[in-house]
Amino acid sequence: MKIRTRLTLLFTLITAMLLGVYSFSIYYSSKEAREKSFYSELQNEAIAKADLFFRSSLPEQEMHKLYKNNTRTLNEVQVAIYDVNKQLVYHDDAKVDYVKETPEMLSEIFRKKRINFFLNDLQVIGMVYHYEGKTYAVTAAAYDQYGYEYLTHLLTISIISFFSILILIYLAGIFLSKKALSPLSEMVKQIKKITAGKLQLRLKTTKEKDELNELAQNFNGMLERLENSFDSQKHFVSNISHELRTPLAAIITELELASEKDKTQAEYQETIQYALEDARNMVKLSNSLMDLAKASYDPNEISFSEVRLDEVLLESYTKIIKENSAYKVSLNIADTVEEYQLIIQGNEYLLQVAFNNLIDNACKYSPEHMCSIDVKSSSKILIISFANKGSMIHKEDLEHIFKPFYRSETPRQEKGHGIGLFLTEKIILLHHANIKVLSDHNETIFTVEFMIS
């Protein structure tokens, strides 16, 4: 069921309930008012008849005649008068007695002074009447024809009005919901036009500050992020393809040359070494891409635990020296650094990947293949710096150094894929830390700052 239909039905149902309660209240209050009003009329009629009987000289036969004449035009009130001995003194029509006054009823009238009750469709009132020191019981009964006709008419009008208003409310609800949700229908039409190849399309927005306009703005923001993500992926895949194609092409070329003619054992060994080196480069690239994928996970899916940064640095130090015997690494931890300052919540594997990249990068681009690691603390910040002596990084390169697959033109002779620093920055930011680089006076320093809890 569409929202428009659901809202219309819900609105109609609520209106029906409110209208039903209102109509019932009007009918019930009118019914109560009619009943009380007619009891009051019966009382007045009873008093008038008693006064006419006791105080006027009109004989009883004339009163009977007057009663019968009145019944031709309306339902006359039938009045009966009894004395204290419960003997009938006067009755409008003894042959047609609406109320069968029993001794118990008369006793109740004398005791309570006034009683009201229904006798089938008739309303009956019994009251005490005093005349010349004597007490009488007077009863009056009648059918409120006009009152019941009024209630029937009111009920008919209420039912007709109830269903008529419901129909009008339903039609008005359809119209209003359609008008109110027309911007949403327009959004749906625009969204259907947006595909993977048309992410540049955007929903139309207005200056209104309503929820639909806010939804459109947020949706456009999501499209903007998706478009940037798709562009990044396209660029990423393009660069990976290029990086993989280069060593693969080299391996194929070397093997084709080796298979075309006979070579000496030394030449074959040389070809194998070249191919093996290219294969190792592909493995490094593959490992870097796997590490990049792990660093790109949702932070909620990465396990964090207490990690000692000095131990991670030592593991990275040992790993780099073991893999590259020509590299020289020194680790200096300031005496002012407390043990608790070296403990953070982090992922040990990812931190080791980041530190490995920084150490390897420093040694690779240093003429002496040397990296100096210094650890010190300042206020609530733990500072780890990775420094190397050698050629500086150009200012224009510093602005792009953390971008994926970016490599400076200066050190092209050094092998690499442009992933390491990009991956390192992602890992550092994942640990709510900062990384920055400074290259000046033939020295390049990468600084990582961790917040101390």
Side-chain angles (χ1 to χ4, degrees):
M1 184 182 294
K2 291 187 176 181
I3 294 178
R4 182 172 62 193
T5 306
R6 189 160 56 244
L7 285 176
T8 302
L9 292 177
L10 182 61
F11 180 66
T12 305
L13 178 61
I14 293 174
T15 304
M17 293 174 61
L18 295 176
L19 192 60
V21 171
Y22 174 77
S23 300
F24 176 78
S25 301
I26 294 295
Y27 180 80
Y28 182 78
S29 61
S30 298
K31 179 176 177 294
E32 292 293 315
R34 183 214 63 79
E35 184 178 319
K36 291 180 181 179
S37 176
F38 196 66
Y39 275 133
S40 179
E41 291 180 11
L42 286 177
Q43 181 179 343
N44 293 337
E45 186 70 17
I47 295 173
K49 282 284 182 71
D51 287 342
L52 187 64
F53 176 75
F54 286 111
R55 300 178 189 278
S56 69
S57 57
L58 193 66
E60 184 174 350
Q61 290 78 7
E62 292 296 326
M63 293 187 66
H64 287 169
K65 187 177 179 180
L66 179 65
Y67 169 76
K68 290 180 180 180
N69 291 334
N70 284 342
T71 56
R72 296 173 185 173
T73 57
L74 53 87
N75 290 327
E76 182 60 80
V77 179
Q78 189 181 86
V79 178
I81 303 174
Y82 291 83
D83 60 15
V84 292
N85 295 322
K86 303 175 184 177
Q87 296 298 317
L88 180 63
V89 177
Y90 170 79
H91 198 291
D92 279 327
D93 191 354
K95 295 180 180 180
V96 183
D97 190 8
Y98 291 161
V99 183
K100 306 298 182 182
E101 292 88 353
T102 61
E104 292 78 10
M105 181 192 298
L106 296 174
S107 298
E108 187 178 3
I109 293 173
F110 283 118
R111 185 176 70 255
K112 294 183 177 179
K113 307 301 181 184
R114 174 175 170 169
I115 61 172
N116 300 327
F117 60 93
F118 273 88
L119 184 64
N120 297 324
D121 293 334
L122 298 176
Q123 282 182 246
V124 183
I125 183 174
M127 58 173 291
V128 172
Y129 180 83
H130 300 282
Y131 179 72
E132 293 183 352
K134 295 181 179 180
T135 303
Y136 299 90
V138 182
T139 63
Y143 175 75
D144 187 11
Q145 181 179 351
Y146 298 119
Y148 282 118
E149 288 178 354
Y150 167 77
L151 285 180
T152 302
H153 181 69
L154 178 63
L155 181 61
T156 303
I157 293 297
S158 298
I159 293 174
I160 295 174
S161 300
F162 178 80
F163 287 104
S164 300
I165 292 175
L166 280 188
I167 293 173
L168 292 175
I169 289 294
Y170 179 76
L171 295 176
I174 293 176
F175 173 76
L176 292 176
S177 61
K178 183 178 181 180
K179 187 175 181 63
L181 296 176
S182 58
L184 194 58
S185 300
E186 185 64 26
M187 280 186 190
V188 173
K189 292 180 182 178
Q190 295 176 28
I191 290 173
K192 288 181 178 179
K193 297 178 183 178
I194 299 173
T195 61
K198 295 182 180 180
L199 285 177
Q200 73 279 4
L201 297 179
R202 296 292 182 268
L203 299 183
K204 294 180 181 179
T205 58
T206 62
K207 294 183 179 179
E208 298 292 335
K209 295 183 179 180
D210 55 13
E211 290 80 359
L212 291 178
N213 191 56
E214 184 179 356
L215 174 64
Q217 291 176 347
N218 288 327
F219 191 83
N220 286 341
M222 182 188 69
L223 287 176
E224 187 76 27
R225 293 190 294 272
L226 284 175
E227 185 179 11
N228 293 335
S229 177
F230 270 61
D231 289 341
S232 298
Q233 286 184 4
K234 289 178 183 177
H235 181 69
F236 187 75
V237 171
S238 176
N239 283 297
I240 290 177
S241 300
H242 175 74
E243 294 292 339
L244 289 174
R245 187 167 59 246
T246 301
L248 283 173
I251 292 174
I252 293 172
T253 301
E254 290 161 0
L255 294 177
E256 285 179 345
L257 291 174
S259 63
E260 287 178 356
K261 56 183 179 178
D262 294 334
K263 292 186 177 183
T264 63
Q265 183 176 359
E267 289 175 332
Y268 278 123
Q269 288 290 338
E270 185 179 2
T271 300
I272 292 173
Q273 288 299 324
Y274 287 144
L276 185 59
E277 185 177 353
D278 289 330
R280 286 170 178 168
N281 286 333
M282 289 183 62
V283 171
K284 288 182 179 180
L285 176 59
S286 177
N287 291 335
S288 296
L289 293 175
M290 291 180 63
D291 292 336
L292 181 60
K294 291 179 181 179
S296 300
Y297 289 163
D298 186 339
N300 296 323
E301 297 180 3
I302 299 176
S303 60
F304 283 81
S305 59
E306 285 192 353
V307 177
R308 284 186 60 110
L309 292 176
D310 55 340
E311 293 180 355
V312 179
L313 286 169
L314 283 172
E315 290 178 6
S316 297
Y317 167 91
T318 305
K319 184 176 184 298
I320 294 296
I321 294 297
K322 184 178 180 181
E323 293 179 353
N324 303 275
S325 58
Y327 286 178
K328 302 174 184 178
V329 183
S330 62
L331 175 60
N332 304 302
I333 301 177
D335 295 335
T336 56
V337 178
E338 301 291 339
E339 182 177 349
Y340 77 91
Q341 294 176 322
L342 295 168
I343 300 175
I344 67 165
Q345 287 290 324
N347 184 280
E348 184 175 354
Y349 171 78
L350 292 178
L351 285 172
Q352 187 172 347
V353 170
F355 293 157
N356 287 349
N357 287 333
L358 290 173
I359 297 173
D360 182 72
N361 191 75
C363 293
K364 184 189 299 182
Y365 297 111
S366 169
E368 299 176 353
H369 300 296
M370 180 179 290
C371 174
S372 177
I373 307 172
D374 292 307
V375 182
K376 58 183 179 180
S377 60
S378 174
S379 183
K380 293 186 177 181
I381 300 176
L382 182 71
I383 303 171
I384 305 176
S385 59
F386 301 81
N388 71 313
K389 298 287 186 180
S391 59
M392 297 185 302
I393 303 175
H394 292 168
K395 188 175 181 180
E396 57 271 17
D397 292 329
L398 288 175
E399 299 176 0
H400 308 283
I401 198 168
F402 291 114
K403 290 185 177 180
F405 300 103
Y406 177 81
R407 297 192 66 205
S408 172
E409 293 295 333
T410 304
R412 282 290 180 177
Q413 65 276 11
E414 297 294 341
K415 293 182 179 180
H417 307 288
I419 298 178
L421 291 179
F422 171 66
L423 172 60
T424 298
E425 185 188 39
K426 286 187 70 71
I427 294 173
I428 296 302
L429 294 177
L430 193 65
H431 287 79
H432 306 291
N434 295 318
I435 183 171
K436 53 187 177 181
V437 58
L438 177 65
S439 186
D440 195 12
H441 302 296
N442 293 327
E443 185 179 34
T444 301
I445 303 175
F446 285 84
T447 305
V448 181
E449 297 179 347
F450 292 93
M451 298 298 297
I452 300 174
S453 58

